[in-house]
Amino acid sequence: IVCRLLEAEDFDIFGAQEPYKFQIEDMAAALPGYTWIGTSVTGEDNVERRHFNPIFYKTDKFEVLESGSFWYSETPNVPNTKFSDSYSPRMCNWAHFRVKATGKEFYYFNTHLDHVSEEARIKGIGVVLDKIAQFGSLPAMIMGDFNVEEDTETYRSATENFLDVKYQTKDPIKSCTYQNWGNRLDDDCIDYIMISKTGFRVNSYNVVRTTYDGVYPSDHFPITASLTLTQG
């Protein structure tokens, strides 16, 4: 049903958090026209029981110019490292994309912050922002599971330099995104798509609440955005 949802939404690019390798391979097999990049939380590419943060994209629309990974720790370039107050290693996969139709370029960061420690989340988003600053002035987006609501320092740190996409629409949809398989439907909004303050126009934002015969594809609702790249 995950693949049914992905086929229905027909994303140009999407990021996932926490799939295992065999689940990624199942998605790739069911989604012709896509390929994916990204390593696991331990930095190992050929392991089954490790979480990945893959980035899927349509190969007819985008070209990857470069890509990489970094970890939320004092040594971000060292795989499988973490801050002392982190529950477990967490990391970010990123890609530098070129749009084939226009030649415009942008960066895409797929993140998953710690689910226990607010201090680790604050430090983690700091690592993301530091890395983005190193890449220069091209438009960039950060998306994924931040594991925080909006009244937190982590969110405030992110939105000092980036825009929460939902608030760039005429009628913002503020809906829960973590619903625990349908058991917390009015609870946590902890997943975000954030964009540079320049370089994008937001056309729409949505929270996909689709179920299949009453079954939820995930314990989170996917969030989606239609964006137009105006610079790059």
Side-chain angles (χ1 to χ4, degrees):
I1 62 174
V2 169
C3 292
R4 288 170 63 185
L5 182 146
L6 293 171
E7 289 171 348
E9 294 299 322
D10 194 29
F11 301 115
D12 289 335
I13 298 179
F14 68 88
Q17 295 81 47
E18 291 193 322
Y20 290 130
K21 185 71 174 294
F22 75 90
Q23 294 172 312
I24 296 172
E25 291 170 345
D26 285 349
M27 287 191 288
L31 298 170
Y34 291 86
T35 192
W36 66 278
I37 54 175
T39 190
S40 73
V41 293
T42 63
E44 302 166 280
D45 292 332
N46 296 307
V47 292
E48 290 297 338
R49 306 298 291 183
R50 294 287 188 275
H51 288 145
F52 282 69
N53 284 6
I55 300 169
F56 277 76
Y57 64 95
K58 288 185 176 180
T59 56
D60 65 336
K61 293 193 173 184
F62 303 102
E63 174 188 1
V64 174
L65 301 180
E66 56 181 334
S67 63
S69 309
F70 55 87
W71 280 258
Y72 302 142
S73 74
E74 303 289 352
T75 54
N77 295 323
V78 179
N80 203 28
T81 55
K82 67 184 185 73
F83 291 114
S84 60
D85 39 19
S86 301
Y87 178 80
S88 61
R90 295 294 176 98
M91 51 87 71
C92 179
N93 286 309
W94 61 270
H96 177 184
F97 284 106
R98 175 185 288 141
V99 181
K100 289 185 175 181
T102 65
K104 292 180 179 177
E105 300 173 20
F106 66 97
Y107 283 95
Y108 186 103
F109 294 80
N110 182 16
T111 188
H112 188 191
L113 298 177
D114 195 83
H115 69 296
V116 173
S117 167
E118 174 65 1
E119 186 64 27
R121 291 189 287 268
I122 294 168
K123 293 176 182 176
I125 198 64
V127 173
V128 177
L129 296 172
D130 287 345
K131 285 288 185 180
I132 292 175
Q134 294 171 20
F135 287 122
S137 59
L138 281 177
M141 67 177 72
I142 314 168
M143 54 74 55
D145 181 357
F146 285 49
N147 270 313
V148 294
E149 296 196 55
E150 294 178 17
D151 58 343
T152 59
E153 187 174 340
T154 300
Y155 180 88
R156 288 190 289 271
S157 294
T159 52
E160 283 180 4
N161 296 293
F162 281 76
L163 301 173
D164 185 338
V165 161
K166 65 175 168 288
Y167 293 121
Q168 311 313 306
T169 59
K170 183 178 179 180
D171 298 303
I173 298 171
K174 189 174 180 182
S175 166
C176 96
T177 61
Y178 172 65
Q179 31 74 2
N180 190 25
W181 305 106
N183 294 310
R184 296 170 61 170
L185 291 175
D186 296 307
D187 203 346
D188 298 336
C189 177
I190 62 174
D191 303 274
Y192 302 96
I193 300 171
M194 297 195 180
I195 55 172
S196 305
K197 291 186 176 180
T198 59
F200 294 100
R201 182 175 69 249
V202 179
N203 305 312
S204 65
Y205 170 88
N206 193 30
V207 179
V208 182
R209 300 170 69 95
T210 308
T211 59
Y212 296 84
D213 297 322
V215 178
Y216 291 84
S218 168
D219 60 340
H220 290 239
F221 288 129
I223 58 174
T224 77
S226 169
L227 306 173
T228 298
L229 191 58
T230 59
Q231 298 176 12

